[in-house]
């Protein structure tokens, strides 16, 4: 089959890691008889440099015209990059937020699991990791504090800033449905995370999630307060299957979950609207400090491409092939520097490889699997 992929390479390490994901997709194409065409789309700092804004209307149209979008990362060093001297609505991140809103990408799925091969990189104690963990955060992505009314003004001569957190029941219902349907494909457990002891928006969240749960009798639903969830993620991550939460809580908890899994360089993510369309991107940022050195870890982006195959293109076998290829290459001891054991005594049996070599190894393993 033919698939048209919009490609947002972005800034920092974005272009390097996206190149490796394309390499792997091309290997999938060759091995399984598909054709992927790629259309570059400007977003982030590179778009600011080329057009003056982080996302043009043309770029939005290009994304809308694609079967799915694969993204690297956007943004630069907030302390030194001239992009961060611009007003907030013209900075790189504003492009991403605008794209999410324009494409109605309200559901953000961020898996976090322990790679057996990288158990040692997990910062938790062995007795806490136990049998390992495999969770997925379903984060609401187009509402809440991110998109509420905000303003900064002087009140009685004193500067005052306001952000507002609004959710209506329809926004909560549609993300809850996504979480429950993903849970049906997994271990059938949803933990809905809120701050219902304080916030009205959370109390409505809880009520609507309870209603949605009635349509999924096989799924067990728990509620957890967000502060407790932050604690439980490091205390016993194995208790979670699907965590359902609002935008800001999900932003924070997904960073925590990725760290707990040992390497943020390994974790993929996907954002969905109500169709099969999706935006696929690694969970990590643009790492401007290591950009252009061919040392970044492309695995999160490659696994994001695997999610694209699975969720947007319905190519499960091909997605499995990519995920297995990653495991095979890790098993053989190949590591980018971020996942290389740090202790000298532990380094035997591992081969340090560059970003491009890691991509080639995984592409070769995909071809060998067909
Ligand atoms: C993320 C990022 C974004 C967010 C930033 C870049 C606006 O942190 O995707 O988690 O907060 O959503
Ligand atoms: Mg974030």
């Amino acid at each position: 089959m033919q698939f048209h992929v919009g490609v947002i390479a972005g800034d920092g390490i974005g272009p390097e890691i996206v190149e490796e994901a394309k390499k792997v997709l091309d290997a999938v194409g060759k091995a399984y008889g598909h054709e992927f065409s790629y259309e570059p789309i400007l977003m982030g700092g590179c778009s600011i440099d080329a057009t003056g804004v982080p996302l043009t209307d043309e770029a939005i149209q290009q994304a809308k015209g694609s079967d799915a979008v694969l993204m690297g990362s956007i943004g630069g060093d907030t302390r030194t990059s001239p992009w961060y001297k611009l007003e907030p609505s013209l900075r790189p991140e504003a492009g991403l937020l605008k794209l999410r809103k324009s494409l109605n990408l309200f559901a953000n799925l961020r898996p976090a699991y322990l790679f057996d091969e990288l158990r040692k990189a997990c910062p938790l104690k062995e007795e806490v990791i136990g049998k390992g963990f495999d969770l997925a955060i379903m984060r609401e992505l187009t509402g809440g504090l991110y998109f509420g009314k905000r303003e900064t003004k002087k009140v009685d001569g004193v500067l005052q800033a306001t952000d507002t957190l609004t959710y209506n029941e329809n926004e909560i219902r549609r993300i809850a449905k996504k979480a429950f349907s993903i849970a049906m494909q997994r271990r059938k457990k949803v933990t809905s995370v809120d701050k219902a002891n304080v916030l009205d928006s959370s109390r409505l969240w809880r009520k609507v999630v309870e209603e949605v749960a009635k349509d999924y009798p096989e799924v067990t639903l728990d509620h957890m307060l967000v502060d407790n969830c932050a604690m439980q993620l490091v205390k016993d991550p194995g208790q979670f299957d699907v965590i359902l939460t609002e935008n800001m809580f999900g932003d924070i908890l997904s960073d925590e979950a990725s760290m707990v899994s040992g390497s943020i360089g390994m974790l993929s993510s996907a954002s969905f609207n109500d169709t099969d369309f999706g935006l696929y991107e690694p969970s990590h940022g643009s790492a401007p400090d290591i950009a252009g050195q061919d040392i970044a870890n492309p695995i999160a982006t490659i696994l994001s491409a695997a999610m694209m195959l699975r969720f947007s293109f319905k190519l499960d076998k091909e997605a499995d092939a990519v995920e297995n290829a990653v495991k095979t290459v890790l098993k053989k001891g190949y590591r980018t520097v971020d996942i290389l054991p740090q202790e000298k005594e532990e380094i035997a049996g591992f081969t340090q490889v560059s970003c491009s070599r890691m991509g080639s190894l995984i592409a070769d393993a995909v071809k060998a699997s067909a």
Side-chain angles (χ1 to χ4, degrees):
M1 282 177 74
Q2 285 202 327
F3 301 97
H4 187 62
V5 182
V7 178
I8 299 174
D11 310 314
I13 56 171
E16 302 161 50
I17 52 181
V18 153
E19 212 40 52
E20 300 317 307
K22 281 161 62 183
K23 204 186 263 177
V24 173
L25 283 175
D26 288 338
V28 168
K30 272 217 180 81
Y32 294 87
H34 306 294
E35 205 179 300
F36 300 100
S37 56
Y38 307 105
E39 178 171 344
I41 301 175
L42 277 180
M43 188 173 91
C46 56
S47 173
I48 298 173
D49 292 344
T51 71
V53 291
L55 183 73
T56 60
D57 290 341
E58 188 200 339
I60 295 173
Q61 290 315 320
Q62 284 178 292
K64 280 188 178 162
S66 317
D67 294 323
V69 173
L70 180 67
M71 185 185 142
S73 51
I74 56 149
D77 187 330
T78 49
R79 291 157 307 176
T80 56
S81 164
W83 300 328
Y84 297 93
K85 301 223 160 57
L86 299 166
E87 63 159 291
S89 68
L90 290 176
R91 292 179 196 167
E93 288 72 14
L96 180 58
L97 297 180
K98 188 173 171 191
L99 188 70
R100 287 174 180 168
K101 199 67 173 177
S102 311
L103 300 179
N104 194 27
L105 299 171
F106 63 87
N108 179 220
L109 184 64
R110 295 187 169 175
Y113 47 92
L114 193 69
F115 284 80
D116 241 5
E117 299 296 325
L118 300 182
R119 235 181 134 86
K120 284 228 169 83
C122 175
L124 303 179
K125 289 192 184 128
E126 265 298 322
E127 61 259 37
V128 176
I129 308 175
K131 289 202 197 89
F133 56 90
D134 175 2
L135 61 91
I137 297 181
M138 182 60 87
R139 166 188 175 195
E140 202 290 328
L141 204 59
T142 53
L145 278 172
Y146 276 67
F147 293 95
K149 261 209 192 110
R150 68 180 98 255
E151 65 172 355
T152 305
K153 63 175 183 193
K154 271 205 169 151
V155 178
D156 299 332
V158 179
L159 268 178
Q160 173 178 295
T162 306
D163 298 280
T164 48
L165 201 181
T166 303
Y167 273 108
N168 69 40
E169 56 179 308
N170 297 334
E171 291 170 311
I172 302 169
R173 198 166 288 117
R174 65 181 183 177
I175 186 74
K177 282 185 183 163
K178 288 268 184 196
F180 280 93
S181 54
I182 284 284
M184 284 298 289
Q185 297 164 35
R186 296 172 47 101
R187 300 193 310 280
K188 299 193 172 67
K189 183 176 171 192
V190 169
T191 307
S192 175
V193 172
D194 61 36
K195 190 70 186 174
N197 52 348
V198 178
L199 303 177
D200 256 24
S201 54
S202 284
R203 287 187 272 267
L204 180 63
W205 184 277
R206 226 175 241 225
K207 178 171 172 284
V208 176
V209 171
E210 293 273 355
E211 284 166 20
V212 172
K214 290 189 187 127
D215 294 332
Y216 298 86
E218 286 176 54
V219 178
T220 311
L221 168 68
D222 282 332
H223 300 282
M224 194 178 273
L225 296 174
V226 62
D227 46 350
N228 185 28
C229 182
M231 184 175 77
Q232 296 296 332
L233 272 172
V234 290
K235 194 168 165 236
D236 177 18
Q239 72 184 284
F240 296 109
D241 179 18
V242 176
I243 292 177
L244 160 65
T245 193
E246 64 90 49
N247 204 345
M248 179 63 110
F249 298 159
D251 179 45
I252 297 167
L253 294 176
S254 61
D255 264 25
E256 185 188 0
S258 67
M259 195 60 224
V260 163
S261 80
S263 174
I264 188 153
M266 307 288 295
L267 297 175
S268 53
S269 95
S271 304
F272 304 110
N273 57 22
D274 258 332
T275 69
D276 286 339
F277 180 88
L279 169 76
Y280 299 85
E281 56 173 316
S283 279
H284 60 71
S286 63
D289 51 324
I290 59 161
Q293 298 175 35
D294 197 20
I295 58 170
N297 185 348
I299 293 180
T301 318
I302 290 168
L303 291 174
S304 301
M307 282 180 103
M308 178 169 83
L309 296 173
R310 191 181 304 286
F311 292 109
S312 284
F313 303 160
K314 311 293 170 204
L315 300 176
D316 276 324
K317 184 174 48 148
E318 290 82 345
D320 289 345
V322 174
E323 288 168 5
N324 289 331
V326 169
K327 281 187 201 138
T328 305
V329 169
L330 289 176
K331 251 194 203 107
K332 287 188 178 156
Y334 294 106
R335 299 283 189 274
T336 44
V337 64
D338 57 307
I339 50 174
L340 196 68
Q342 294 306 303
E343 310 298 328
K344 270 217 174 82
E345 323 60 89
E346 288 175 4
I347 215 155
F350 294 102
T351 312
Q352 184 178 338
V353 295
S354 63
C355 175
S356 51
R357 176 110 167 89
M358 182 58 98
S360 300
L361 286 164
I362 295 169
D364 289 346
V366 165
K367 283 187 207 146
S369 74

